[in-house]
Amino acid sequence: MSKVKILVLGPQKAGKSTLANILGGLQDGLSTVYRPTAGVRIVDFERDSPPSVSQFGKINVELWDLSGDFRYEKCWAPCQQDVQGIIFVYDPTNPDSEQDLIKFVENFPKALRLKQSFCQCFINYHNYDGTKNGIIPKCMAPLDQLSGSLEDTQQVFATFEKYLTKLLRQLIERQTALENQYAS
């Protein structure tokens, strides 16, 4: 069985834990109670690989849900080991979170030398009514983006499926390139 480790990052109250819980089958929709993550929590689940990358068979997905509170910054280094992808979760109605996102970008994809193509930004509009209010920070502009709401769990699963497929394809390409490099 293959393992995929994905960090779920973003400012406080953006919806990171809810996203991880929905994808991991721990909850069916939004929660009415806000419980901030203390440090990090791991949502671990097994699933079939997407059809177009079926050579993986069953995969173990680890979603590492990191707190958006910078007082837990000391736990970041151990969490960064063996990361294969990052999902940023962002609430555009919170104008104060752009600086937090910039810090997350600096400390994760850039520090890990993880290509932007291994990252995705989920723009979580709370109480989404189809209108997109708020500004998307420049640091998120180069990433694949999905705008929507965690209220729409079908969209959440469909988006994750696309992201996981893309991520697994890129991991295959990276592995093939490494094998070819050592075979030469």
Side-chain angles (χ1 to χ4, degrees):
M1 177 183 324
S2 299
K3 179 180 99 171
V4 178
K5 180 178 178 180
I6 301 169
L7 298 180
V8 182
L9 303 172
Q12 294 182 65
K13 298 184 180 181
K16 299 175 299 296
S17 295
T18 301
L19 176 68
N21 288 343
I22 290 170
L23 292 172
L26 300 177
Q27 72 187 62
D28 295 328
L30 296 179
S31 174
T32 57
V33 179
Y34 174 69
R35 290 185 201 108
T37 300
V40 64
R41 57 187 280 277
I42 302 167
V43 176
D44 188 15
F45 57 96
E46 185 179 299
R47 57 160 290 169
D48 292 326
S49 60
S52 63
V53 283
S54 60
Q55 65 265 39
F56 282 95
K58 289 268 186 207
I59 55 174
N60 181 40
V61 178
E62 290 182 0
L63 297 176
W64 289 54
D65 171 21
L66 272 67
S67 173
D69 188 335
F70 289 103
R71 70 180 167 157
Y72 297 108
E73 195 170 345
K74 290 183 181 177
C75 77
W76 289 358
C79 296
Q80 291 175 331
Q81 291 185 317
D82 303 321
V83 169
Q84 295 160 306
I86 297 174
I87 298 174
F88 290 97
V89 182
Y90 171 67
D91 175 6
T93 63
N94 182 353
D96 300 328
S97 60
E98 182 170 0
Q99 290 305 314
D100 290 350
L101 281 171
I102 290 169
K103 192 168 184 179
F104 282 119
V105 169
E106 292 293 325
N107 284 284
F108 287 92
K110 284 186 181 178
L112 295 169
R113 295 187 179 125
L114 194 65
K115 293 180 182 179
Q116 292 174 347
S117 59
F118 287 79
C119 303
Q120 181 181 45
C121 179
F122 181 78
I123 303 159
N124 180 26
Y125 289 93
H126 296 284
N127 302 313
Y128 190 56
D129 63 359
T131 21
K132 297 178 181 177
N133 301 321
I135 298 170
I136 307 307
K138 289 181 184 177
C139 64
M140 295 289 108
L143 304 180
D144 282 346
Q145 298 175 10
L146 167 72
S147 296
S149 171
L150 293 171
E151 296 170 24
D152 184 354
T153 57
Q154 284 184 323
Q155 181 188 32
V156 168
F157 282 111
T159 300
F160 182 71
E161 186 78 7
K162 288 178 190 172
Y163 171 68
L164 185 60
T165 301
K166 179 181 174 184
L167 180 62
L168 292 171
R169 282 185 183 144
Q170 290 180 85
L171 292 172
I172 291 168
E173 289 171 13
R174 184 166 65 180
Q175 183 65 33
T176 302
L178 281 172
E179 289 170 2
N180 290 339
Q181 179 183 355
Y182 288 114
S184 302

